[in-house]
Amino acid sequence: MADDSKKLSLAGSVSLGTGVMVGAGIFALVGQVAGLAGGWVPAAFLAGAVVVAFSSYSYVKYSGANPSSGGIAMLLKDAYGPGVIAGSFSLFMYVSMVVAESLLARTFGTYILRPFGLEGSALLVPALGVAAIAAAAVVNIFGNTLVERSATVTAAVKIIGIALLAIAGLVASGWSSLGTALTGGSGEPPQQGLIGFLAGTTLCILAYKGFTTITNQGGDIREPKKNIGRSIIISLALCTVIYLLLTISVIGSLSVPEIIQSRDYALARAAEPLFGAWGVGLTIALAVVATLSGLLASIYSVSRLYAMLQEMKQAPGLPGKVKHQPLLITAGLAILVTVFLDLSQIASLGALLYISMDIAVHLGVIRHLHQDIGAPRWVPLVAIGLDVILLAAFIGVKAGQDLLMLTVAAALSLAIFLTQWWAVRRRGQSIEADDGQVGAG
């Protein structure tokens, strides 16, 4: 009982999942999505929720049957065996989560500098982001209890604060904006039509993918077979409502060109015409709480995923007996991404890696795991179809806008596959050598 009492409760795991989703999604992505989906931003977030609802099914079923602190890595290993495919897509997941931490970090820097007119600083934004990552890593060293307590409190603050801000915005802009925003009638249509809307929806997936934080902490949750699925469902439902209310409020306050112009701090800009200085201050305060708590929750989960990958010999470690290696490696990689990439590039890279991994997960469930975990094939099949449609649209749009980022994503993917191939080959040679020594003895 003593050990179980240290594990995360249902409220704690929901807080962690919601904390990651709200921080990474609504504050960082509204402007990015508007650049692709135009005035259809609320509809894009709603479409993203539908896609993730189908996608989450495979994770819920597997994690309920096999809860562990390396949930997705274990799923891929069970589906494909301990080889190149499982190792590569596990690292896809890991890197996409590290990228999400960088998204949070740069959002923190951007919003906290907004009152001083320095939100576009190429030096201060990443510097503050690096400081936020370092602080979150230090807090995580103190263990599960501190992370859970802080996540529960900050999640409540964010949900209540953002809900009040969104409702006040709807009242100020008129409740009629609710219907028109969902149909795109209150703003400009996507410049590239349906393809642009689908590309915007692709980025919205990042606003919900924090539910995987819950699957990756299965071994740290009380009654995991019951609470993992409940945590995911509750977190997704809460975030969907929050995102819809707030994006409708933003669309009612700003024109699409204004949102795009202030894409990195769109919520703070949207609060100005509606509420004046106090609304801007509240938005910035909520953004700071959301991003810092999101970092705290994400580093907690991602470092445990990396520890699992190390145990599975799919990820390298630091030389010597350095303590907290998974935590230090995760924070270090997030710092590098924060320093060298901007918000748009970070969001694009995260979306490409995550959706590619998601397709591999569903294929594994369909081909190898559906009977073991009691999952009918048609649900993951629908999830794959939706993922492919979004990924194709996003790549098509980005090919004309940011070919360099697509090249970077492709090069990173190739490097991960080659690294895993080399690691698997070395493991095989090591086993052969050990067998040879035993035979000679």
Side-chain angles (χ1 to χ4, degrees):
M1 291 299 293
D3 290 337
D4 190 62
S5 66
K6 295 181 180 179
K7 294 186 176 182
L8 298 175
S9 63
L10 176 62
S13 58
V14 169
S15 297
L16 283 173
T18 306
V20 173
M21 282 189 273
V22 172
I26 205 68
F27 289 98
L29 294 175
V30 172
Q32 310 294 332
V33 174
L36 297 169
W40 291 74
V41 174
F45 274 92
L46 181 59
V50 172
V51 173
V52 175
F54 280 98
S55 177
S56 65
Y57 184 80
S58 293
Y59 301 87
V60 169
K61 296 297 288 186
Y62 179 84
S63 297
N66 305 282
S68 75
S69 294
I72 295 174
M74 293 303 296
L75 187 159
L76 289 165
K77 181 180 178 182
D78 286 350
Y80 297 102
V84 175
I85 294 178
S88 297
F89 284 108
S90 293
L91 284 176
F92 271 41
M93 180 63 198
Y94 172 75
V95 174
S96 74
M97 295 175 79
V98 169
V99 167
E101 292 169 5
S102 302
L103 191 71
L104 286 164
R106 287 196 71 109
T107 302
F108 166 78
T110 299
Y111 271 81
I112 206 169
L113 290 170
R114 172 62 179 162
F116 310 101
L118 298 172
E119 65 274 2
S121 173
L123 176 62
L124 293 178
V125 169
L128 286 172
V130 169
I133 293 170
V138 171
V139 172
N140 266 270
I141 292 175
F142 291 95
N144 294 14
T145 303
L146 181 58
V147 173
E148 178 180 5
R149 288 175 180 171
S150 61
T152 302
V153 173
T154 54
V157 170
K158 285 185 294 184
I159 292 171
I160 295 171
I162 292 175
L164 290 175
L165 188 66
I167 293 172
L170 285 175
V171 171
S173 59
W175 287 97
S176 60
S177 61
L178 185 63
T180 54
L182 284 174
T183 60
S186 62
E188 299 179 8
Q191 292 183 356
Q192 301 191 46
L194 179 59
I195 299 298
F197 172 77
L198 292 174
T201 302
T202 305
L203 286 183
C204 292
I205 301 300
L206 292 178
Y208 296 101
K209 83 177 189 70
F211 81 85
T212 57
T213 301
I214 299 170
T215 67
N216 285 328
Q217 67 188 29
D220 294 324
I221 296 177
R222 298 173 197 164
E223 300 183 75
K225 293 189 176 182
K226 178 175 66 176
N227 284 335
I228 289 176
R230 290 180 178 180
S231 299
I232 289 173
I233 293 169
I234 294 171
S235 297
L236 288 175
L238 283 173
C239 288
T240 300
V241 173
I242 291 171
Y243 293 159
L244 286 179
L245 289 175
L246 205 50
T247 52
I248 291 168
S249 177
V250 171
I251 289 293
S253 175
L254 299 175
S255 67
V256 172
E258 288 173 330
I259 298 174
I260 295 174
Q261 183 183 16
S262 55
R263 64 172 57 205
D264 291 348
Y265 53 95
L267 295 193
R269 174 74 181 277
E272 290 183 53
L274 287 176
F275 309 114
W278 77 266
V280 175
L282 174 60
T283 304
I284 291 171
L286 287 172
V288 170
V289 172
T291 50
L292 288 179
S293 61
L295 271 173
L296 195 65
S298 181
I299 288 179
Y300 172 82
S301 173
V302 179
S303 62
R304 278 152 181 75
L305 173 60
Y306 195 84
M308 177 65 71
L309 293 176
Q310 284 184 311
E311 291 177 7
M312 296 165 63
K313 301 187 183 302
Q314 292 176 337
L318 297 174
K321 297 181 179 179
V322 180
K323 293 183 178 180
H324 307 294
Q325 287 196 22
L327 184 64
L328 294 176
I329 291 171
T330 298
L333 291 175
I335 285 172
L336 288 176
V337 178
T338 301
V339 170
F340 290 107
L341 299 180
D342 62 28
L343 277 176
S344 178
Q345 293 168 330
I346 291 171
S348 297
L349 181 60
L352 290 168
L353 290 174
Y354 174 77
I355 294 179
S356 298
M357 181 281 307
D358 194 56
I359 292 172
V361 164
H362 299 311
L363 279 174
V365 169
I366 291 172
R367 294 182 59 187
H368 304 291
L369 300 178
H370 67 100
Q371 291 183 338
D372 295 337
I373 64 177
R377 290 181 173 180
W378 72 268
V379 180
L381 187 61
V382 171
I384 290 174
L386 294 173
D387 279 347
V388 169
I389 291 171
L390 294 183
L391 196 60
F394 189 74
I395 291 174
V397 170
K398 284 297 176 179
Q401 293 181 351
D402 194 354
L403 187 58
L404 177 61
M405 178 46 56
L406 291 181
T407 303
V408 170
L412 178 60
S413 301
L414 180 60
I416 288 173
F417 276 107
L418 290 176
T419 300
Q420 283 298 304
W421 173 81
W422 179 76
V424 170
R425 187 181 180 197
R426 282 199 63 185
R427 288 202 300 270
Q429 292 174 343
S430 177
I431 291 172
E432 290 178 1
D434 291 341
D435 290 343
Q437 291 177 357
V438 172

